[in-house]
Amino acid sequence: MTTPQDYVRDHAIPLAGESRDYDRLLEQVGERSLVLLGEASHGTAEFYRMRAEITRRLIHEKGFEAVVVEADWPDALRLDRYVRGSGADTLKSAFDDFQRFPRWMWRNTEVRDFIGWLERHNAGQGETGQVGFHGLDIYSLHRSAEAVIEYLDGIDPEQARIAREGYACLDHGGDPVRYGHDAAFGLSRICEDAAVRLLADLLGKSGEYLREDGRSARDEQFFAEQNARVVVNAEHYYRAMFGSRVDTWNLRDEHMTDTLAELREHLRRQGGQGKLVVWAHNSHLGDASFTDMGWHRGQHNVGQLVRHRFGADQALLVGFTTHTGFVSAARDWGGPVEHRRVRPAMEGSIERLFHDSGPGDFYLPLGERAAPLKEPLWERAIGVIYRPESERISHYFKAAVAEQFDAVFHLDETRAVEPFDKGELWRPEEVPDTYPFGV
């Protein structure tokens, strides 16, 4: 009988730190149009760097047309305009809209280097061959409303006036959580109807607005429509935070999946294939129906919804794990970023299994033949908060990794991603001689 360790030892493909490390992954991609690249933390340098290297190959060798990341739509849109050569931003200033906690998640040197490469790549392409960079997330309630109004100001001032009046009920000092609280408890007017009506108006008037031909005009109309969709879904999300019957996790991941669907269709209307590479946390991109999220919490996620919506033959779900090292993370929500040591993976976890199996850093194809890895094991998830003192409760959940992902990259020891804005608490520390056994 093949044990989990036997499977890893027999099928793991060691990584050499070279481009050929991704040859097998590219073979698995085949003709798929969606490649979802996860991460076990939001603060690990190798996860960002490897996703960037894989994405470059997907663009060059497989014709992928857009990178879609776990970021807010308007923040990422500024980077999209930079990589397409529009606007007056420098590489540094193009990141300036990423001001919401956690800023280091996208304002870091690994993302900067990839954005610089993407701008250079696009400079050598015609308009139709350029690769976009877009956000998936739902949090930008007010910034997206402002972006819709700004677009309408330039194309339909009367509709811009209507939008200002319709979105006015969102104004709670720019605090979407305060809006959600007041709306949920009847302390202020609910903006749902106005947001939906404004989206419908924007869609209905698209033919009128697109009298100007050209890719850029169609893109700008789509970008405005997507901001209007964010307002509709974010309004619902923040209001649901204070309800008892709606799981806001599900609302968020449904919005993310809808964003992928809308972007795919937009690219196809432009003559493309709708081929997207997605960067987000493992907890969003691994299929939740094979984890505690689906088994016990009634939650679904992007990976699960993508498989069901587009077909498993169209999507490749790739996880990333680490055993130990360092991470950029905060101690509490809203706190400063710190350079923190990651405890060695606990016994009974998939990360400890990978470590104990011996190959070091490796790529592991999964799928049907990976039956020994279908039994649930603990799996670690570090987001923007890391609490090693309560690691078991705060960061581990059960998952059947062979069904959660189609493949996994394991890095035995990893480094913290380097933020632009380090602050006083981001101080790289040396590993003591006794680590990981020292106190």
Side-chain angles (χ1 to χ4, degrees):
M1 179 178 177
T2 303
T3 68
Q5 281 197 351
D6 290 337
Y7 181 85
V8 175
R9 289 175 180 140
D10 291 345
H11 295 91
I13 302 169
L15 303 180
E18 300 173 2
S19 181
R20 61 184 173 87
D21 289 340
Y22 312 112
D23 287 351
R24 181 61 187 275
L25 170 64
L26 269 287
E27 291 175 12
Q28 281 188 262
V29 170
E31 298 303 313
R32 288 178 171 89
S33 60
L34 291 160
V35 176
L36 280 54
L37 302 176
E39 59 182 359
S41 90
H42 286 317
T44 300
E46 286 82 356
F47 299 155
Y48 287 90
R49 176 181 54 77
M50 293 174 68
R51 291 186 302 189
E53 293 176 4
I54 293 165
T55 300
R56 284 192 281 266
R57 289 195 59 179
L58 289 172
I59 291 168
H60 280 308
E61 300 173 39
K62 297 289 185 177
F64 274 66
E65 301 157 286
V67 186
V68 197
V69 304
E70 189 183 336
D72 289 332
W73 181 264
D75 297 353
L77 186 55
R78 188 164 175 182
L79 288 180
D80 180 73
R81 289 180 170 136
Y82 172 77
V83 301
R84 294 178 189 268
S86 62
D89 272 318
T90 64
L91 177 56
K92 180 179 179 181
S93 67
F95 286 85
D96 285 352
D97 281 355
F98 289 96
Q99 294 301 320
R100 180 177 63 82
F101 175 87
R103 292 195 295 175
W104 70 88
M105 187 171 160
W106 298 110
R107 287 174 57 85
N108 64 63
T109 57
E110 300 289 350
V111 177
R112 177 202 63 198
D113 291 348
F114 175 73
I115 291 295
W117 173 86
L118 190 54
E119 188 273 337
R120 294 189 298 274
H121 168 83
N122 282 342
Q125 306 294 318
E127 191 177 60
T128 58
Q130 292 187 337
V131 175
F133 188 89
H134 304 287
L136 276 172
D137 230 327
I138 199 172
Y139 295 120
S140 59
L141 178 64
H142 294 98
R143 294 196 310 285
S144 287
E146 291 165 0
V148 172
I149 294 168
E150 182 181 356
Y151 173 72
L152 291 171
D153 271 334
I155 201 165
D156 187 343
E158 175 59 19
Q159 190 64 21
R161 181 190 65 77
I162 294 171
R164 282 190 176 88
E165 292 177 358
Y167 287 148
C169 56
L170 295 171
D171 185 16
H172 286 65
D175 183 351
V177 176
R178 183 180 164 196
Y179 162 76
H181 173 274
D182 291 355
F185 289 101
L187 302 176
S188 68
R189 185 160 62 92
I190 294 174
C191 285
E192 180 180 18
D193 291 344
V196 171
R197 185 177 66 254
L198 288 164
L199 172 58
D201 288 347
L202 194 56
L203 293 169
K205 289 174 177 283
S206 62
E208 178 184 341
Y209 294 159
L210 288 174
R211 287 191 295 259
E212 179 184 348
D213 288 334
R215 172 70 181 260
S216 60
R218 294 191 296 271
D219 281 346
E220 290 302 315
Q221 170 68 17
F222 173 72
F223 298 158
E225 291 170 1
Q226 187 57 31
N227 271 312
R229 290 186 185 96
V230 171
V231 176
V232 171
N233 292 334
E235 187 278 333
H236 187 192
Y237 175 88
Y238 284 111
R239 195 158 35 85
M241 287 176 66
F242 298 93
S244 59
R245 289 182 289 180
V246 178
D247 191 317
T248 53
W249 173 278
N250 287 350
L251 291 178
R252 185 181 174 206
D253 277 51
E254 288 162 12
H255 170 79
M256 290 181 175
T257 308
D258 288 344
T259 299
L260 295 178
E262 295 291 348
L263 184 56
R264 278 165 62 87
E265 288 306 306
H266 174 67
L267 291 171
R268 287 173 173 173
R269 288 193 298 269
Q270 305 283 61
Q273 301 176 73
K275 302 183 79 169
L276 309 177
V277 54
V278 184
W279 298 6
H281 199 279
N282 285 348
S283 57
H284 292 294
L285 301 190
D287 189 329
S289 60
F290 298 103
T291 74
D292 275 340
M293 295 168 62
W295 295 328
H296 304 300
R297 301 178 203 164
Q299 293 175 325
H300 48 243
N301 67 357
V302 175
Q304 177 181 351
L305 295 172
V306 161
R307 277 179 170 172
H308 291 172
R309 190 164 180 172
F310 306 110
D313 61 336
Q314 282 298 305
L316 189 74
L317 280 51
V318 184
F320 288 73
T321 64
T322 185
H323 170 63
T324 189
F326 295 92
V327 67
S328 289
R331 293 177 187 266
D332 297 292
W333 187 262
V337 62
E338 300 183 30
H339 188 274
R340 312 204 68 193
R341 181 176 296 137
V342 177
R343 296 180 63 178
M346 74 177 197
E347 293 290 341
S349 69
I350 190 68
E351 295 86 356
R352 176 55 68 94
L353 167 67
F354 288 165
H355 170 74
D356 290 346
S357 296
D361 299 346
F362 58 84
Y363 178 68
L364 185 67
L366 297 170
E368 286 302 316
R369 64 179 180 176
L373 295 179
K374 290 184 179 181
E375 289 299 316
L377 292 170
W378 293 109
E379 186 177 308
R380 180 160 55 190
I382 300 172
V384 296
I385 308 299
Y386 183 45
R387 294 178 173 147
E389 67 279 3
S390 60
E391 190 174 56
R392 158 65 187 82
I393 296 172
S394 299
H395 298 291
Y396 280 96
F397 62 98
K398 283 287 182 76
V401 70
E403 296 176 296
Q404 179 192 14
F405 294 108
D406 297 305
V408 170
F409 283 98
H410 177 73
L411 294 308
D412 214 48
E413 186 169 345
T414 48
R415 299 173 297 112
V417 72
E418 182 179 348
F420 292 170
D421 318 292
K422 297 185 179 68
E424 295 181 358
L425 297 179
W426 199 91
R427 295 191 298 269
E429 52 188 307
E430 297 297 326
V431 181
D433 291 340
T434 55
Y435 180 71
F437 306 105
V439 177

